[in-house]
Amino acid sequence: MSTSSPKAVIMDEAAVSRAMTRIAHEILERNEGCDNLAIVGIVTRGDLLAQQLVDRIKEIEGVDVPLGRLDISFYRDDFQTFSPEVHATDIPFDVDGKRIVLVDDILYTGRTIRCALDAVMDLGRPARIELAVLVDRGHRELPICPDFVGKNVPSSHEENVRLYLKEVDGRTSVEIFDIAPGAHVGSAPLGGE
């Protein structure tokens, strides 16, 4: 857990919206449109951001890009010591040969993305997998590098960087908190704290 009031608000709702619009344009530019493209969000907030990207791509291109949600709970390397809250994986399309854009909220050590890559590869063989994150806070432990970033936010190991979304938290913002003694870095729980 973190302290109750943020140390800093680094993105408000308008900044998050602008970043998501920019990422959607960058995805379309890099992929030369949306043919054979699919967006897969990592639960619990990456899937909500993925939906926003699909909505923006439809506004830009007029095309419904396939959308999936991925739960990586059973792929975690700390599964034996951590009791994850399990959510449903829903990939309603064949991943074989697709250009997949994985979407997550905050990129930190890279371990969540490693799990997501394993989970996607268990479903088939995509042509390519790219990574879109709203915030890259650094401190990588694995050689993972995002293709699309909303904002780079240098932070310390003693801080939590959290995304709150109106759909589940009643507000949209990215905030930095000091980590309470004895607590660990983590995502905001669904429904706030």
Side-chain angles (χ1 to χ4, degrees):
M1 287 273 259
S2 27
T3 58
S4 58
S5 60
K7 183 175 174 170
V9 176
I10 55 173
M11 295 177 85
D12 61 12
E13 186 171 357
V16 170
S17 179
R18 283 191 303 273
M20 295 305 292
T21 299
R22 181 174 41 78
I23 290 171
H25 280 283
E26 289 173 357
I27 288 169
L28 291 169
E29 183 176 335
R30 176 166 302 170
N31 288 283
E32 298 178 354
C34 53
D35 290 341
N36 208 33
L37 186 69
I39 309 291
V40 175
I42 302 169
V43 295
T44 57
R45 283 177 175 74
D47 57 335
L48 299 173
L49 294 175
Q51 179 65 62
Q52 290 183 27
L53 287 175
V54 166
D55 293 345
R56 282 173 172 78
I57 289 170
K58 183 168 184 167
E59 289 171 11
I60 298 163
E61 294 285 312
V63 175
D64 285 313
V65 173
L67 172 66
R69 56 192 315 255
L70 187 65
D71 180 15
I72 52 101
S73 297
F74 294 115
Y75 288 85
R76 292 175 56 114
D77 55 9
D78 60 354
F79 179 70
Q80 299 300 324
T81 59
F82 175 75
S83 297
E85 183 178 334
V86 179
H87 303 275
T89 288
D90 179 23
I91 310 287
F93 52 86
D94 186 0
V95 301
D96 288 340
K98 284 266 192 235
R99 291 178 292 147
I100 305 277
V101 177
L102 274 176
V103 182
D104 202 11
D105 56 352
I106 312 292
L107 178 58
Y108 183 40
T109 63
R111 293 183 181 278
T112 296
I113 304 308
R114 185 210 45 91
C115 296
L117 291 169
D118 289 347
V120 169
M121 296 307 286
D122 279 353
L123 297 171
R125 186 174 181 174
R128 178 176 28 190
I129 300 176
E130 296 173 324
L131 175 61
V133 297
L134 181 61
V135 174
D136 182 352
R137 64 171 292 189
H139 303 290
R140 218 74 78 239
E141 295 174 2
L142 299 171
I144 303 283
C145 182
D147 299 283
F148 312 102
V149 178
K151 186 174 182 91
N152 288 293
V153 178
S155 61
S156 86
H157 289 292
E158 289 76 39
E159 295 174 322
N160 256 339
V161 179
R162 291 186 167 179
L163 167 65
Y164 293 93
L165 289 172
K166 192 177 286 184
E167 298 94 313
V168 291
D169 305 304
R171 71 185 191 279
T172 297
S173 62
V174 177
E175 303 174 4
I176 297 179
F177 295 83
D178 284 322
I179 298 174
H184 72 284
V185 173
S187 296
L190 278 176
E193 295 181 271

